[in-house]
């Protein structure tokens, strides 16, 4: 394991060794960043490398993986003259969460804890269950009641212990965090552990490679806890710093209108979340997060990129899912949010949207 990396708290500057099972800052209770400097990736060197996200080894804080399932290198297909879609639902567990889950499972494998726990609305849980099975790790996944039965079945199939928590997504997170304090526990939090973000950043490295060493003008990204957006921000910063792109693309963050705390804070010009609003039911369950721990980082990343926030209605989500299905792409309702947003509010120049989860996980949105 690359032991030169260490956990760093972006709020108060506290540090912790990566080898310690400290899942958040002990001083201010905030999520960790990773004090790690990626090396530049040579576009010319990629020919002949492994056909997974591990081909960008210079940019990753771990190398020589033992629990890879071949994740990454998903197709990029054109939807319109200016908008392309990256088919991240074509992953081993059928969602983009595999990018970060493999990093957490690989880290846990090397730390050899007594058990791994995770919390999720479904996709991160299925990914962690699969990669922990691959790594031979005992795993428990906390999910809120109301999680898609198909996702619950997938978690059980991988051998993880399923803990269904009464209440919403936040209730499941609280239960998992309480359990994370038990000795010998590795909390595989896709929100608090920065290794997950260094996995999701490979989404952008793949775009950079597929587009011949450039990026689109706009990256449209769904945002709940912001793990894909923050990974994208990491990658664009690294590529720009290494002189591998001339400018950074705008980050356009998409939330469901029913649960849009970040969009509301952005429009208010706030650096943190504004007063919490009532959470309404939404088809986009994967991004229905009322209080994301990395809110300040997400808002800053969008502003610094020159991007913005867009919100979509439930009707737009339904329409977008049917539209993509008519194009041959059956995507779960959360995963169509970006296509719904960019269809309603087109951007100038080129744009890429991620199709993050397979429709087989949830079925067709109720009309």
């Amino acid at each position: 394991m690359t032991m030169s990396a260490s956990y760093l708290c972006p709020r108060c500057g506290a540090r912790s060794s990566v080898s310690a099972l400290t899942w958040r800052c002990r001083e201010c209770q905030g999520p960790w960043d990773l004090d790690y400097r990626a090396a530049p990736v040579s576009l010319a060197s990629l020919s002949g490398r492994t056909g997974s996200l591990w081909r960008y080894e210079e940019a990753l804080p771990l190398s020589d993986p033992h629990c890879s399932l071949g994740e990454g290198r998903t197709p990029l297909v054109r939807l319109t003259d200016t908008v392309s879609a990256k088919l991240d639902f074509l992953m081993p567990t059928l969602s983009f969460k595999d990018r970060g889950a493999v990093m957490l499972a690989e880290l846990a494998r090397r730390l050899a804890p007594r058990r791994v726990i995770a919390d999720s609305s479904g996709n991160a849980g299925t990914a962690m269950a699969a990669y922990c099975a691959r790594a031979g790790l005992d795993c428990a996944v906390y999910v809120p009641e109301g999680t898609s039965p198909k996702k619950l079945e997938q978690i059980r199939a991988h051998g993880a212990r399923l803990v269904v928590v009464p209440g919403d997504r936040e209730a499941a997170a609280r239960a998992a965090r309480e359990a994370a304090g038990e000795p010998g526990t590795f909390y595989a939090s896709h929100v608090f552990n920065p290794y997950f973000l260094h996995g999701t950043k490979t989404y952008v490295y793949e775009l950079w490679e597929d587009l011949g060493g450039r990026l689109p003008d706009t990256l449209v990204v769904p945002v709940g806890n912001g793990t894909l957006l923050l990974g994208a921000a990491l990658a664009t910063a690294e590529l720009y710093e290494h002189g591998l792109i001339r400018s950074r693309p705008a980050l356009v963050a998409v939330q469901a209108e029913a649960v849009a705390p970040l969009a509301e804070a952005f429009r208010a010009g706030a650096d943190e979340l504004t007063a919490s609003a009532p959470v309404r039911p939404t088809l986009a369950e994967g991004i229905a997060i009322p209080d994301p721990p990395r809110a300040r980082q997400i808002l800053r990343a969008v502003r610094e990129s020159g991007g913005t926030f867009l919100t979509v209605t439930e009707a737009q989500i339904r329409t977008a899912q049917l539209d993509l299905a008519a194009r041959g792409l059956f995507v779960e309702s959360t995963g169509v949010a970006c296509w719904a947003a960019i269809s309603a509010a087109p951007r100038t120049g080129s744009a890429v949207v991620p199709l993050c989860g397979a429709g087989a996980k949830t079925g067709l949105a109720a009309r």
Side-chain angles (χ1 to χ4, degrees):
M1 182 169 60
T2 304
M3 296 305 294
S4 57
S6 62
Y7 291 136
L8 171 66
C9 179
R11 296 182 184 179
C12 69
R15 290 180 178 272
S16 176
S17 169
V18 167
S19 61
L21 297 177
T22 51
W23 60 270
R24 65 180 176 183
C25 175
R26 289 193 177 101
E27 301 298 324
C28 68
Q29 313 306 306
W32 292 119
D33 279 352
L34 196 64
D35 188 4
Y36 164 78
R37 183 176 176 82
V41 177
S42 166
L43 192 64
S45 73
L46 295 175
S47 178
R49 290 194 184 186
T50 182
S52 73
L53 62 82
W54 297 95
R55 65 198 282 110
Y56 312 108
E57 59 182 355
E58 298 94 331
L60 296 175
L62 296 173
S63 61
D64 190 26
H66 289 251
C67 62
S68 175
L69 291 167
E71 55 288 330
R73 298 300 292 139
T74 55
L76 183 66
V77 300
R78 188 174 293 277
L79 296 179
T80 71
D81 289 342
T82 59
V83 181
S84 295
K86 189 155 176 60
L87 310 190
D88 253 27
F89 64 88
L90 298 179
M91 290 276 197
T93 76
L94 307 182
S95 91
F96 89 95
K97 295 290 177 65
D98 289 8
R99 294 185 183 276
V102 69
M103 297 293 289
L104 293 184
E106 186 63 29
L107 177 62
R109 187 189 68 82
R110 300 176 192 205
L111 297 178
R114 290 175 52 195
R115 65 171 185 162
V116 174
I117 64 170
D119 59 276
S120 169
S121 61
N123 283 338
T126 61
M128 283 311 307
Y131 284 96
C132 282
R134 180 74 166 177
L137 295 166
D138 180 76
C139 178
V141 180
Y142 290 69
V143 299
E145 60 183 359
T147 298
S148 165
K150 295 180 181 180
K151 293 179 181 179
L152 300 183
E153 182 180 9
Q154 189 178 3
I155 292 169
R156 289 192 184 99
H158 291 306
R161 182 168 63 89
L162 189 64
V163 183
V164 179
V165 179
D168 60 11
R169 176 68 181 83
E170 289 300 302
R174 287 193 297 271
R177 291 167 194 169
E178 183 176 348
E182 297 180 14
T185 299
F186 179 86
Y187 181 27
S189 171
H190 59 290
V191 182
F192 280 83
N193 194 301
Y195 275 84
F196 196 93
L197 306 181
H198 283 268
T200 62
K201 77 180 181 184
T202 59
Y203 172 87
V204 169
Y205 274 90
E206 290 178 18
L207 289 177
W208 170 75
E209 181 183 0
D210 289 341
L211 295 174
R214 62 182 181 86
L215 289 176
D217 299 306
T218 302
L219 293 172
V220 190
V221 187
V223 174
N225 278 308
T227 56
L228 184 55
L229 184 137
L230 291 173
L234 269 174
T236 57
E238 290 170 0
L239 289 167
Y240 184 75
E241 179 184 350
H242 294 142
L244 296 172
I245 54 174
R246 293 182 178 180
S247 61
R248 302 188 198 185
L251 298 175
V252 173
V254 178
Q255 295 205 287
E257 190 176 274
V259 188
L262 290 160
E264 292 169 10
F266 182 86
R267 291 164 185 165
D271 294 330
E272 295 276 11
L273 294 185
T274 54
S276 59
V279 176
R280 291 172 287 161
T282 177
L283 295 167
E285 62 179 10
I287 53 173
I289 308 296
D291 189 20
R294 294 186 184 269
R296 175 180 283 271
Q297 290 176 286
I298 295 166
L299 291 165
R300 183 174 66 245
V302 172
R303 288 196 175 100
E304 289 180 350
S305 77
T308 191
F309 274 82
L310 300 174
T311 58
V312 292
T313 66
E314 301 304 292
Q316 288 174 317
I317 291 171
R318 292 187 188 94
T319 298
Q321 189 182 39
L322 291 172
D323 179 66
L324 285 172
R327 297 167 185 261
L329 301 167
F330 186 32
V331 184
E332 69 174 340
S333 49
T334 298
V336 307
C338 290
W339 176 237
I342 204 70
S343 297
R347 300 275 297 185
T348 301
S350 59
V352 171
V353 299
L355 303 183
C356 295
K361 283 175 168 277
T362 56
L364 198 63
R367 297 185 68 83

